[in-house]
């Protein structure tokens, strides 16, 4: 019993640290505390069924840390970038040796890279009312850190074999090797859209989350931060494949959703 209580406290600590990082990312994005609190409460409601002692709690923390660090990398000066350029691959090594969800760190980095490129092409940062999306020269740093993080995934006892391990385990679509009979019989691997259930607080919050992102895309359009849009598209596909991934979706996209909703309200006539 004492060991189980220790596990529960550890899980609460890891989850709390993940949401602290999300709150700090909101602050870096210039989101007012009240707007951040509203979105974070929705995120807690959507992800609370995964707030217990399971190995994937390390991926919850890893995703929150990676989003925070990549955003800090984009905002930092030359001296600050060196720090985050070193910390991100080191964090990727630790994540790789803790949980199989480490591949999300690379996908988050790729979303930041593509989103930063789209931000520069659409010049959305210049129209964002003095809240910069990213300082100039971010893309080379992001690309270099992403490449270093990919190599960091090989720093484990099994080398490249562990680096490709997560792919067969991620169920995408309705058929294929990821959708074995074993996975189909487990509730957490079921799609949240396989059976609509608005009476479930988790699913209701997730449906609301998706609708809020649709509202953001309609209201903000090309003025949106495309880093958040790319993250939302990628993580929403993952969350739609299995309800256990909903918590990852809300942790990664909460800061950007809060910022876009706040900006949409501020720009409303």
């Amino acid at each position: 019993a004492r060991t189980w209580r220790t596990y529960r406290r550890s899980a609460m600590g890891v989850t709390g640290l993940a949401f602290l990082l999300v709150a700090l990312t909101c602050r870096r994005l210039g989101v007012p505390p009240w707007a951040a609190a509203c979105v974070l409460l929705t995120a807690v409601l959507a992800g609370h069924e995964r707030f217990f002692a399971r190995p994937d709690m390390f991926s919850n923390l890893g995703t929150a840390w990676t989003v925070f660090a990549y955003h800090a990398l984009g905002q930092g000066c030359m001296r600050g970038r060196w720090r985050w350029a070193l910390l991100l691959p080191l964090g990727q090594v630790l994540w790789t040796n803790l949980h199989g969800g480490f591949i999300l760190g690379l996908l988050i980095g790729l979303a930041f890279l593509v989103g930063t490129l789209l931000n520069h092409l659409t010049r959305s940062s210049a129209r964002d009312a003095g809240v910069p999306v990213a300082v100039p020269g971010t893309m080379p740093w992001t690309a270099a850190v992403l490449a270093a993080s990919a190599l960091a995934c090989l720093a484990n006892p099994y080398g490249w074999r562990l680096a490709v391990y997560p792919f067969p385990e991620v169920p995408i679509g309705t058929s294929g090797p990821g959708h074995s009979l074993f996975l189909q019989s487990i509730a957490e691997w079921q799609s949240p859209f396989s059976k609509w259930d608005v009476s479930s607080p988790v699913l209701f919050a997730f449906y609301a989350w998706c609708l809020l992102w649709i509202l953001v895309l309609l209201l903000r359009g090309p003025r949106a931060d495309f880093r958040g849009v790319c993250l939302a598209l990628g993580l929403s596909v993952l969350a739609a494949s299995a309800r256990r991934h909903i918590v990852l979706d809300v942790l990664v996209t909460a800061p950007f959703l809060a910022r876009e909703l706040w900006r949409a309200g501020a720009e409303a006539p």
Side-chain angles (χ1 to χ4, degrees):
R2 181 178 299 177
T3 302
W4 177 243
R5 286 196 296 269
T6 302
Y7 285 153
R8 289 187 61 184
R9 291 169 183 168
S10 300
M12 292 176 61
V14 170
T15 300
L17 183 56
F19 274 92
L20 176 61
L21 287 169
V22 174
L24 291 175
T25 306
C26 289
R27 182 177 179 181
R28 279 185 171 270
L29 284 167
V31 180
W34 62 266
C38 291
V39 172
L40 285 175
L41 285 174
T42 307
V44 169
L45 184 63
H48 77 274
E49 70 177 9
R50 304 299 302 176
F51 297 165
F52 52 87
R54 288 284 299 272
D56 52 5
M57 66 183 180
F58 294 112
S59 283
N60 297 342
L61 178 59
T63 53
W65 153 256
T66 304
V67 171
F68 173 79
Y70 268 109
H71 181 68
L73 176 73
Q75 278 194 326
C77 60
M78 184 67 69
R79 183 178 179 181
R81 283 177 178 170
W82 273 112
R83 179 178 58 197
W84 297 111
L86 291 173
L87 288 176
L88 272 162
L90 291 176
Q92 189 67 38
V93 171
L94 182 61
W95 189 359
T96 300
N97 288 274
L98 286 174
H99 189 251
F102 67 88
I103 200 69
L104 289 172
L106 303 183
L107 298 179
I108 291 171
L110 181 61
F112 265 85
L113 182 63
V114 174
T116 302
L117 174 61
L118 292 174
N119 283 338
H120 284 296
L121 292 177
T122 58
R123 299 180 181 273
S124 61
S125 59
R127 299 196 301 266
D128 233 351
V131 184
V133 169
V135 296
T138 298
M139 286 185 57
W141 283 89
T142 304
V145 170
L146 178 58
S149 297
L151 292 175
C153 294
L154 301 177
N156 67 83
Y158 302 97
W160 66 268
R161 290 185 297 276
L162 182 62
V164 300
Y165 169 78
F167 292 102
E169 304 299 322
V170 179
I172 297 177
T174 56
S175 62
H179 265 279
S180 65
L181 182 62
F182 176 71
L183 290 182
Q184 291 181 11
S185 64
I186 302 176
E188 68 185 47
W189 285 105
Q190 301 298 310
S191 169
F193 298 108
S194 62
K195 182 180 179 181
W196 291 82
D197 184 10
V198 294
S199 64
S200 166
V202 172
L203 296 184
F204 180 81
F206 176 65
Y207 300 150
W209 198 266
C210 296
L211 290 176
L212 286 173
W213 267 111
I214 293 173
L215 181 64
V216 161
L217 293 176
L218 291 175
L219 293 177
R220 296 281 289 159
R223 294 171 298 169
D225 185 344
F226 283 99
R227 297 173 305 170
V229 173
C230 290
L231 288 170
L233 290 175
L235 271 296
S236 294
V237 170
L238 191 63
S241 70
R243 61 187 293 167
R244 64 175 284 151
H245 296 140
I246 290 176
V247 63
L248 298 173
D249 185 12
V250 297
L251 281 171
V252 168
T253 62
F256 296 95
L257 180 61
R259 182 175 184 271
E260 297 301 337
L261 289 173
W262 169 58
R263 292 303 307 157
E267 294 173 357

